[in-house]
Amino acid sequence: MVIGMIVMLSEVKRKGLDTDKALDLTIYTIIASVIGARLYYIIAFNLKYYISNPLEVFALRSGGLSIQGGLIAGIGFALIYTKIKKISFWKTADAFAPAIIIGQAIGRIGCDVFGRPMGNSYPWGVMVNSQLLHPVQLYEAGLNLLLFIYLMRKRSKVKYNGELFIKYIIGFSLIRGFVEFFRFNPIVVGPFTVVHVTSLIIIIITLIINNKIKKNQSVLKIINEEAINIPLLHFILIALLGAFSIWFYYFIHG
């Protein structure tokens, strides 16, 4: 969250937005996202259990947070908050997109939900309870990191407000859907789980919204925003972050 805030503030300043309002929005949205992540997990993954054990709803230490639920709740809250405060939602969302995905990339390393048992003994597998499992946390963290780099390279080339955030939503939904093939979750149909269905619905809705906001906005003058490339130092820092994440995962967390 801290690194995400640093990235977010940098983008907010670059876009000429109010940093104080952006910080307030960040803090409130984080709270809304955590609540949404918990509620979505309860409803979509194990509703019967929580109906029978209502006090377990508050047992966050036992796990049970859905990133997709957090995303839905966070966006919903931000839409309402920005409208009340008269803030440009789509312009702000573009500033937040790289920050959100880098936060997700780092945070995923701490997830305790490991993947399915490996069919073959691959060297990157992680041993848990005498089973060699897919390190799905690393799969998702690595893909999130690649999405972060992509968004950082595209952020000065957007043609309309909201374009970068749309790319983030679709990109992350694809990543989450791919990684889901290596995890256990409630099956909906065939090999597809509730996460696959949620990802598909999010992508469809996002594409519809994307078409609408493109029609309602004139093409931005890209020269108004400083065209910033990612310096070599940033790539080195990202590489070091990735290397540290791998070390932490295998030698501390795993």
Side-chain angles (χ1 to χ4, degrees):
M1 289 180 183
V2 171
I3 292 179
M5 283 187 182
I6 292 171
V7 173
M8 177 273 293
L9 285 173
S10 174
E11 285 300 287
V12 163
K13 290 176 182 177
R14 185 176 72 88
K15 286 180 165 293
L17 298 169
D18 190 304
T19 54
D20 289 335
K21 289 182 179 179
L23 274 174
D24 288 343
L25 175 62
T26 301
I27 294 170
Y28 297 142
T29 302
I30 287 173
I31 296 171
S33 296
V34 172
I35 295 172
R38 183 58 171 170
L39 290 176
Y40 188 82
Y41 176 83
I42 291 168
I43 295 169
F45 289 83
N46 209 348
L47 182 59
K48 289 183 179 179
Y49 172 79
Y50 288 102
I51 289 176
S52 301
N53 302 274
L55 292 180
E56 290 297 309
V57 169
F58 306 100
L60 293 180
R61 288 177 60 87
S62 299
L65 294 173
S66 166
I67 184 65
Q68 291 177 315
L71 188 61
I72 293 168
I75 293 173
F77 173 82
L79 280 167
I80 297 171
Y81 186 86
T82 52
K83 186 173 183 178
I84 292 173
K85 296 295 182 178
K86 295 180 172 57
I87 302 170
S88 170
F89 172 81
W90 291 114
K91 190 173 183 179
T92 304
D94 280 349
F96 274 57
I100 297 171
I101 197 62
I102 190 62
Q104 289 177 232
I106 298 169
R108 181 54 68 183
I109 298 298
C111 178
D112 284 332
V113 180
F114 293 89
R116 295 174 179 268
M118 285 186 161
N120 298 303
S121 297
Y122 296 113
W124 59 84
V126 59
M127 191 67 69
V128 179
N129 296 326
S130 301
Q131 282 189 308
L132 190 65
L133 307 179
H134 282 283
V136 289
Q137 300 97 322
L138 280 185
Y139 294 169
E140 189 168 332
L143 291 171
N144 285 348
L145 199 56
L146 290 176
L147 180 56
F148 168 72
I149 294 172
Y150 171 78
L151 294 177
M152 290 292 282
R153 293 181 66 86
K154 291 290 184 180
R155 71 197 195 285
S156 61
K157 301 175 183 178
V158 295
K159 297 179 180 179
Y160 55 93
N161 289 323
E163 182 181 358
L164 200 69
F165 188 69
I166 293 292
K167 290 180 183 294
Y168 155 69
I169 294 292
I170 294 175
F172 174 66
S173 296
L174 291 172
I175 290 170
R176 190 67 186 83
F178 169 75
V179 174
E180 185 64 12
F181 285 113
F182 301 95
R183 296 182 54 173
F184 288 109
N185 269 319
I187 296 293
V188 176
V189 59
F192 302 106
T193 71
V194 63
V195 172
H196 286 122
V197 173
T198 304
S199 293
L200 179 61
I201 293 172
I202 289 174
I203 290 172
I204 292 172
I205 293 174
T206 301
L207 289 173
I208 293 171
I209 292 173
N210 184 55
N211 287 333
K212 288 185 177 181
I213 62 174
K214 280 176 67 176
K215 291 178 181 178
N216 293 335
Q217 294 187 45
S218 57
V219 176
L220 296 177
K221 293 182 179 179
I222 299 174
I223 57 173
N224 287 341
E225 290 188 3
E226 183 182 356
I228 302 175
N229 294 319
I230 305 178
L232 178 61
L233 177 60
H234 287 190
F235 276 113
I236 293 174
L237 291 174
I238 290 169
L240 289 174
L241 175 62
F244 175 78
S245 296
I246 293 172
W247 172 82
F248 183 89
Y249 180 82
Y250 284 106
F251 295 98
I252 304 296
H253 179 47

